[in-house]
């Protein structure tokens, strides 16, 4: 193994990458303390990160640079992970099989997949975060798909809709009685029609339709939906979501198995710290 | 009953303080009695919180730190004992308890009002796991701190102690990642995406990275001047600080 690959697979390289990532997120947290940057971060949430990044008219240039920096650090970490894992595979093949080491290798590989899952969530599919609709309202999006709000059922006092989501109390909002009936259609054909509740989205293949909140009714007396609340929905399609939700618990399980396997073992004097 | 909550809290604080004092004085029996009394008072406070609010005591700082104090006390009683010399792990655990209760003393001593989604299992489980992580990582920090003292004394138990610190640190990381996974499911159901750019997610990522750093830094778990035990110590306190900060928002 050359000196370069040895360095790229080393624990100290991994450590410095983690340190860089740590401070990158600390920096991100500091930026959030500024109201302008916090607003810009919220803008990031309103669309798929890829679209936000590539749209030159949208988003703070500074935050885009921050995000690109984050991606670069993750790429460096990925390089370290690939070299480190391939080294471990070679060592396991050459030397005596060790269950704990094998599990640690599996955890590292799954961690890489989880990180890719995050990246996939940022870059693949599409996302419409704050789609405001009223009864009868239609929103058209990718692949000639349309979301129609068939009906809005709201039984509680509308005043509660002026509150933020976290300030709404249990006796003010009857979760099971307030819902929206929606239909996902393509070329006039209904693909799925169902009720969505807060915290209970509906799915069609990789598409998820989520009720984010009810909106206070229009003040305009002439409006046909006068007196009826509107709704804010999120439409998202993430083709890697199912795989991501499957591998994440596998990573946790792998860490758990490794922890149990090494719980009793007295620690070796290990200058390079290969064992955790 | 609501007005009795602060009284129960101060009684709990008093008993845990007495436990700490008796640990310092090496009075085993008195320590056992006061820690048992503290635990009973702590459980009473938690039961009162549940009865008053109707939800799990995991949402605001006061109730969640009362639960965290209970977990830490249980671990202190079950996994440590008074040793020949001071300081020992038990000393550090009760000292940490003083810190935890001190922070709780600053909080409004009332249960969180029952928000419409506080009976959602994902939300309850997410907060519950994070509180468990605070207690477990504080316990891990106590083991790491003691390991450093043992090392200075030239006591070979330092290696074992640091390994136990590492074990509890990984257990904390495991539960924190489980909390994150539950949080991902919650976020997906509530906002339609598993990631939101913002301070809450950044702080969670900082905690995950801290765990990762603590187990990846080269060097042994127990060596003097090594970063691994230092990070092991820092983890518990930083997580305590971040979760206390988040609870106040």
């Amino acid at each position: 193994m050359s000196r370069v690959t040895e360095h790229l697979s080393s624990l100290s390289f991994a450590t410095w990458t983690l340190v860089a990532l740590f401070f990158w997120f600390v920096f991100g947290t500091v930026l959030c303390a500024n109201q302008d940057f916090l607003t810009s971060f919220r803008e990031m949430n309103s669309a798929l990160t890829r679209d936000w990044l590539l749209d030159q008219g949208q988003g703070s240039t500074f935050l885009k640079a921050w995000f690109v920096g984050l991606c670069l650090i993750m790429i460096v970490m990925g390089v370290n992970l690939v070299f480190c894992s391939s080294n471990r595979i070679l060592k396991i093949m050459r030397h005596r099989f060790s269950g704990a080491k094998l599990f640690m290798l599996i955890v590292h590989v799954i961690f890489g997949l989880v990180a890719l899952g995050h990246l996939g969530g940022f870059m693949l599919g599409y996302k419409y975060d704050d789609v405001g609709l009223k009864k009868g309202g239609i929103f058209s999006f990718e692949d000639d798909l349309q979301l129609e709000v068939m009906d809005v059922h709201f039984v509680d006092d509308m005043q509660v809709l002026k509150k933020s989501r976290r300030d709404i109390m249990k006796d003010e909002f009857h979760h099971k009685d307030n819902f929206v009936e929606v239909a996902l259609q393509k070329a006039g054909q209904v693909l799925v029609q169902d009720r969505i509740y807060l915290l209970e989205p509906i799915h069609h293949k990789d598409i998820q339709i989520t009720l984010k909140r009810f909106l206070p009714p229009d003040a305009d007396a002439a409006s046909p939906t006068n007196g009826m609340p509107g709704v804010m929905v999120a439409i998202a399609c993430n083709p890697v979501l199912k795989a991501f939700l499957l591998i994440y618990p596998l990573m946790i399980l792998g860490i758990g198995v490794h922890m149990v396997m090494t719980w009793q073992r007295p620690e070796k004097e290990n200058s390079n710290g290969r064992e955790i | 009953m609501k007005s009795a909550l602060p009284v129960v809290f101060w009684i709990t604080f008093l008993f845990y303080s007495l436990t700490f004092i008796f640990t310092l004085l090496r009075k085993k029996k008195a320590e056992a009695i006061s820690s048992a009394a503290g635990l009973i008072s702590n459980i009473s406070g938690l039961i009162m919180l549940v009865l008053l609010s109707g939800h799990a005591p995991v949402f605001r700082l006061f109730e969640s730190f009362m639960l965290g104090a209970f977990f830490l006390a249980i671990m202190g009683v079950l996994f440590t004992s008074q040793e020949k010399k001071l300081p020992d792990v038990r000393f550090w655990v009760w000292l940490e308890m003083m810190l935890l209760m001190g922070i709780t003393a600053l909080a409004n001593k009332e249960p969180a009002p029952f928000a419409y989604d506080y009976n959602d299992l994902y939300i309850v489980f997410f907060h519950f796991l994070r509180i468990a992580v605070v207690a477990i990582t504080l316990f891990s920090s106590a083991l790491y701190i003691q390991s450093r003292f043992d090392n200075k004394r030239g006591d070979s138990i330092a290696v074992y102690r640091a390994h136990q610190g590492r074990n509890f640190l990984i257990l904390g990381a495991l539960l924190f990642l489980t909390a994150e996974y539950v949080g991902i499911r919650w976020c997906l159901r509530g906002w339609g995406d598993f990631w939101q750019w913002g301070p809450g997610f950044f702080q969670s990522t900082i905690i995950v990275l801290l765990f990762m750093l603590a187990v990846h830094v080269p060097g042994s778990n127990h060596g003097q001047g090594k970063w691994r035990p230092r990070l092991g110590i820092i983890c518990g306190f930083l997580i305590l600080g971040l979760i206390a900060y988040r609870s106040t928002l």
Side-chain angles (χ1 to χ4, degrees):
Chain A
M1 192 165 55
S2 76
R3 282 187 71 177
V4 176
T5 52
E6 196 174 334
H7 182 68
L8 286 175
S9 68
S10 70
L11 206 60
S12 61
F13 188 67
T15 302
W16 284 113
T17 314
L18 283 169
V19 168
L21 202 55
F22 179 87
F23 283 108
W24 208 254
F25 273 100
V26 170
F27 182 44
T29 310
V30 172
L31 288 179
C32 287
N34 177 297
Q35 195 54 46
D36 291 341
F37 281 119
L38 187 62
T39 309
S40 300
F41 272 120
R42 286 187 179 142
E43 235 177 75
M44 261 178 112
N45 291 321
S46 64
L48 197 70
T49 310
R50 175 200 64 206
D51 298 337
W52 167 85
L53 186 68
L54 299 177
D55 186 347
Q56 291 183 344
Q58 194 197 8
S60 146
T61 310
F62 192 82
L63 279 200
K64 285 182 180 178
W66 178 85
F67 177 75
V68 171
L70 175 65
C71 291
L72 289 174
I73 299 172
M74 286 307 292
I75 289 169
V76 172
M77 184 182 270
V79 169
N80 174 254
L81 194 62
V82 168
F83 278 102
C84 182
S85 300
S86 55
N87 261 359
R88 277 172 182 250
I89 291 169
L90 286 174
K91 277 183 185 169
I92 287 172
M93 282 165 66
R94 279 181 201 153
H95 305 294
R96 197 167 62 86
F97 174 82
S98 154
K101 280 183 182 173
L102 183 67
F103 259 98
M104 203 65 293
L105 172 67
I106 292 169
V107 167
H108 278 85
V109 172
I110 299 178
F111 170 77
L113 294 175
V114 168
L116 282 176
H118 269 97
L119 185 69
F122 298 152
M123 298 295 169
L124 303 173
Y126 51 83
K127 179 181 168 187
Y128 300 95
D129 198 54
D130 289 330
V131 181
L133 290 169
K134 288 175 184 152
K135 184 181 175 181
I138 293 175
F139 181 77
S140 301
F141 54 104
E142 264 81 355
D143 305 323
D144 291 328
L145 288 162
Q146 288 184 321
L147 180 75
E148 183 176 359
V149 172
M150 312 296 284
D151 208 352
V152 179
H153 287 260
F154 192 81
V155 298
D156 293 307
D157 184 353
M158 304 280 181
Q159 290 300 316
V160 78
L161 301 178
K162 290 176 182 166
K163 291 185 174 183
S164 74
R165 203 167 144 156
R166 62 186 293 180
D167 293 329
I168 299 175
M169 294 300 122
K170 193 189 172 196
D171 52 356
E172 293 175 319
F173 184 86
H174 296 86
H175 184 257
K176 281 288 168 191
D177 297 323
N178 298 319
F179 59 88
V180 184
E181 187 128 7
V182 292
L184 183 67
Q185 303 161 353
K186 185 168 185 172
Q189 195 181 353
V190 175
L191 300 174
V192 60
Q193 182 171 341
D194 210 342
R195 291 172 177 181
I196 48 173
Y197 300 81
L198 285 179
L199 293 168
E200 287 180 44
I202 58 165
H203 300 88
H204 174 71
K205 294 181 180 168
D206 291 330
I207 303 166
Q208 178 176 313
I209 296 154
T210 312
L211 174 61
K212 287 183 76 177
R213 61 177 302 165
F214 289 91
L215 300 170
D218 261 343
D220 180 10
S223 165
T225 56
N226 182 34
M228 195 175 281
V231 289
M232 183 82 84
V233 293
I235 303 165
C237 174
N238 179 355
V240 295
L241 181 65
K242 283 174 190 159
F244 175 78
L245 293 176
L246 192 74
I247 54 173
Y248 201 110
L250 287 179
M251 178 178 77
I252 297 169
L253 189 70
I255 295 170
V257 171
H258 182 268
M259 183 187 73
V260 171
M261 288 171 94
T262 56
W263 190 275
Q264 290 292 342
R265 188 179 59 187
E267 189 186 274
K268 292 173 195 167
E269 285 286 348
N270 192 344
S271 61
N272 64 12
R274 283 284 169 187
E275 298 302 321
I276 66 161
Chain B
M1 189 153 65
K2 206 170 181 177
S3 58
L5 255 181
V7 178
V8 174
F9 166 74
W10 288 111
I11 291 172
T12 310
F13 199 168
L14 175 73
F15 279 126
Y16 284 152
S17 304
L18 285 173
T19 311
F20 177 59
I21 291 165
F22 290 134
T23 304
L24 277 174
L25 298 172
R26 320 312 284 163
K27 305 280 185 196
K28 272 191 181 177
K29 203 171 177 183
E31 192 220 298
I33 292 166
S34 55
S35 62
L39 270 168
I40 291 166
S41 173
N42 199 336
I43 293 170
S44 309
L46 290 169
I47 292 170
M48 282 170 74
L49 280 162
V50 173
L51 291 176
L52 280 167
S53 67
H55 60 69
V58 294
F59 296 103
R60 296 230 175 129
L61 195 143
F62 175 66
E63 56 192 30
S64 57
F65 274 28
M66 280 290 275
L67 184 63
F70 173 71
F71 287 145
L72 187 61
I74 286 283
M75 282 193 290
V77 169
L78 292 182
F79 301 129
T80 68
S81 56
Q82 271 194 21
E83 293 167 25
K84 281 179 189 168
K85 283 183 195 168
L86 267 175
D88 54 16
V89 180
R90 190 163 264 210
F91 165 83
W92 297 113
V93 168
W94 292 121
L95 190 61
E96 285 171 344
M97 181 65 87
M98 294 299 99
L99 176 67
L100 197 61
M101 295 303 274
I103 296 170
T104 316
L106 302 173
N108 187 9
K109 288 161 203 70
E110 283 181 1
F114 203 140
Y116 79 95
D117 54 0
Y118 277 10
N119 52 4
D120 185 279
L121 279 180
Y122 284 90
I123 300 175
V124 172
F125 200 42
F126 170 78
H127 287 96
F128 176 85
L129 284 170
R130 284 168 77 106
I131 293 306
V133 170
V134 170
I136 290 168
T137 49
L138 278 175
F139 187 70
S140 162
S141 293
L143 286 159
Y144 271 118
I145 295 169
Q146 186 56 35
S147 163
R148 289 178 78 86
F149 273 85
D150 293 333
N151 214 348
K152 273 183 189 166
R153 290 173 185 159
D155 193 335
S156 60
I157 201 168
V159 179
Y160 168 77
R161 206 90 83 177
H163 185 70
Q164 286 303 308
R166 163 264 190 207
N167 286 345
F168 279 95
L169 190 76
I170 294 178
L171 181 63
L174 188 84
L175 293 184
F176 192 80
L177 286 170
T178 309
E180 286 301 287
Y181 184 70
V182 174
I184 280 170
R185 306 293 300 227
W186 168 25
C187 194
L188 260 175
R189 290 162 62 233
W191 290 268
D193 198 355
F194 62 78
W195 177 269
Q196 298 283 305
W197 297 98
F201 279 68
F202 292 172
Q203 283 159 21
S204 292
T205 309
I206 285 169
I207 293 175
V208 172
L209 289 168
L210 195 67
F211 278 127
M212 287 172 74
L213 264 173
V215 294
H216 281 87
V217 172
S220 63
N221 273 330
H222 64 280
Q224 284 293 327
K226 303 282 186 191
W227 269 100
R228 206 177 263 224
R230 277 181 193 157
L231 284 168
I233 293 167
I234 292 168
C235 267
F237 297 101
L238 194 82
I239 291 167
L240 172 73
L242 281 175
I243 290 184
Y245 173 68
R246 290 298 303 167
S247 304
T248 56
L249 295 180

